[in-house]
């Protein structure tokens, strides 16, 4: 039945001029997610193969990539919930998968369809001294992959708690810590990157791209740590209220998230110093 529902989604997507995959592609993951949560891995894997065949029969090249990636991510999340594997680990795997597929979309598929990205290159010309074009595409693909995996994780939590009555929030494995090495790595790489910009240190463009990507990853980890610290303080002071929601939303506001990163950086450094003192004692 779920395969039939998925087939209707693919057919409706083709009839409406690919509106489904353009507006809300997460719908493609919904049937296989329910199947993977309720059924055994062997049954859900057979359903996954059947849905892939429907995608090849009723969809176009872009639908194969978008719907296929959502199918794979939905099955991974559902399988992880069924096997009681931590949601953070399945989200991390799907983040890597979505990042790779997003990069293929904006690079390989753009070349296949003859899409000229000269206008985009002119728009981001100001960033060329800091980052190459391929490095920029990789970072943007990573940000898209993060948002997609985050949305799928939220959907998996809601669907899992509704479908599996034995599932509780504690079984989802949502607790994860940010290692203090992120703060030390950020502190080390940031001045090195500035030295490469000023010409004090000369290195190939690939090394510069790697430095920027590592700095962005550390920066996101610091924002996540700062958000958890501020949320805990807000809950202790005001309890679960609208302030908690505003704190979480503030982490996505450019400029404001610099404060969150500073809070996370200082919290991780202080935790690292305290751990060193306790170890010596």
């Amino acid at each position: 039945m779920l395969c039939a529902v998925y087939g209707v989604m693919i057919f409706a997507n083709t009839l409406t001029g690919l509106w489904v995959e353009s507006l809300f592609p997460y719908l493609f993951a919904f049937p296989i997610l329910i199947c993977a949560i309720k059924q055994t891995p062997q049954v859900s894997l057979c359903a996954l193969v059947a849905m892939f065949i429907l995608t090849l029969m009723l969809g176009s090249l872009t639908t194969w990539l978008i719907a296929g990636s959502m199918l794979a991510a939905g099955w991974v999340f559902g399988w992880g919930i069924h096997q009681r594997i931590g949601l953070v680990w399945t989200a991390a795997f799907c983040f890597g998968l979505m990042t790779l597929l997003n990069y293929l979309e904006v690079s390989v598929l753009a070349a296949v369809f003859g899409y000229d990205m000269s206008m985009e290159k002119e728009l981001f010309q100001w960033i060329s001294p800091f980052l190459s074009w391929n490095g920029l595409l990789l970072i943007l693909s990573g940000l898209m992959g993060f948002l997609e995996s985050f949305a799928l994780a939220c959907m998996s939590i809601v669907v899992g708690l509704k479908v599996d009555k034995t599932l509780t929030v504690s079984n989802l494995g949502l607790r994860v810590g940010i290692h203090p090495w992120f703060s030390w790595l950020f502190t080390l790489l940031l001045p090195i990157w500035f030295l490469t910009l000023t010409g004090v240190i000369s290195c190939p463009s690939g090394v510069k791209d790697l430095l920027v990507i590592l700095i962005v990853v550390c920066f996101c980890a610091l924002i996540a740590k700062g958000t958890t610290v501020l949320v805990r303080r807000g809950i202790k002071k005001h309890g679960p209220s609208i302030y908690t929601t505003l704190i979480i939303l503030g982490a996505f506001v450019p400029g404001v998230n610099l404060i969150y990163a500073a809070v996370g950086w200082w919290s991780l450094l202080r935790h690292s110093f305290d751990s060193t003192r306790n170890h010596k004692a």
Side-chain angles (χ1 to χ4, degrees), residues 9-21 58-60 63:
M9 289 182 181
I10 290 291
F11 189 63
N13 177 63
T14 304
L15 287 180
T16 56
L18 310 181
W19 274 27
V20 177
E21 67 181 65
L58 302 175
S60 59
T63 307

Side-chain angles (χ1 to χ4, degrees), residues 3-52:
C3 290
V5 172
Y6 176 79
V8 171
M9 289 182 181
I10 290 291
F11 189 63
N13 177 63
T14 304
L15 287 180
T16 56
L18 310 181
W19 274 27
V20 177
E21 67 181 65
S22 300
L23 296 178
F24 200 73
Y26 309 104
L27 285 176
F28 294 132
F30 195 73
I32 192 62
L33 176 63
I34 297 176
C35 180
I37 293 175
K38 295 180 65 176
Q39 304 295 333
T40 60
Q42 292 80 5
V43 174
S44 62
L45 192 59
C46 292
L48 177 66
V49 174
M51 292 180 186
F52 267 124

Side-chain angles (χ1 to χ4, degrees), residues 3-273:
C3 290
V5 172
Y6 176 79
V8 171
M9 289 182 181
I10 290 291
F11 189 63
N13 177 63
T14 304
L15 287 180
T16 56
L18 310 181
W19 274 27
V20 177
E21 67 181 65
S22 300
L23 296 178
F24 200 73
Y26 309 104
L27 285 176
F28 294 132
F30 195 73
I32 192 62
L33 176 63
I34 297 176
C35 180
I37 293 175
K38 295 180 65 176
Q39 304 295 333
T40 60
Q42 292 80 5
V43 174
S44 62
L45 192 59
C46 292
L48 177 66
V49 174
M51 292 180 186
F52 267 124
I53 294 175
L54 285 174
T55 306
L56 296 175
M57 292 174 58
L58 302 175
S60 59
L61 183 59
T62 56
T63 307
W64 295 351
L65 188 61
I66 296 174
S69 63
M70 289 298 164
L71 279 176
W75 184 83
V76 168
F77 274 108
W79 173 79
I81 292 176
H82 183 82
Q83 300 293 113
R84 296 300 188 266
I85 298 175
L87 195 67
V88 173
W89 296 109
T90 53
F93 175 79
C94 288
F95 164 72
L97 175 65
M98 292 299 179
T99 300
L100 176 62
L101 292 176
N102 287 329
Y103 184 77
L104 291 177
E105 283 184 41
V106 298
S107 57
V108 177
L109 280 186
V112 169
F113 286 102
Y115 179 73
D116 188 10
M117 303 187 72
S118 57
M119 293 184 62
E120 286 79 3
K121 290 182 179 180
E122 291 180 3
L123 180 63
F124 291 99
Q125 187 66 32
W126 59 273
I127 209 171
S128 57
F130 313 101
L131 190 65
S132 68
W133 176 248
N134 287 328
L136 177 62
L137 290 182
L138 185 59
I139 290 177
L140 293 178
S141 301
L143 293 176
M144 289 175 60
F146 171 77
L147 294 175
E148 289 171 345
S149 58
F150 179 75
L152 286 169
C154 293
M155 187 175 74
S156 301
I157 294 173
V158 175
V159 174
L161 293 175
K162 290 290 184 181
V163 172
D164 192 350
K165 300 301 181 182
T166 63
L167 184 68
T168 60
V169 177
S170 60
N171 298 135
L172 293 173
L174 296 176
R175 298 187 64 182
V176 62
I178 306 297
H179 202 278
W181 274 109
F182 280 105
S183 61
W184 289 107
L185 188 62
F186 182 80
T187 307
L188 175 66
L189 293 179
L190 192 61
I192 294 177
W193 179 63
F194 276 116
L195 291 176
T196 59
L197 291 181
T198 56
V200 177
I201 299 178
S202 60
C203 58
S205 60
V207 177
K208 291 182 180 179
D209 292 345
L210 181 60
L211 284 174
V212 174
I213 291 172
L214 291 175
I215 289 172
V216 170
V217 171
C218 293
F219 184 72
C220 292
L222 296 179
I223 292 176
K225 180 61 178 179
T227 304
T228 56
V229 171
L230 294 175
V231 166
R232 287 173 183 172
R233 291 179 182 177
I235 292 176
K236 287 181 180 180
K237 189 174 182 180
H238 303 284
S241 61
I242 188 63
Y243 292 103
T244 305
T245 305
L246 293 176
I247 290 173
I248 296 174
L249 292 177
F252 296 92
V253 179
V256 178
N257 51 20
L258 294 176
I259 302 174
Y260 288 69
V263 172
W265 176 79
W266 175 246
S267 176
L268 289 175
L269 283 182
R270 188 175 60 181
H271 176 74
S272 178
F273 287 134

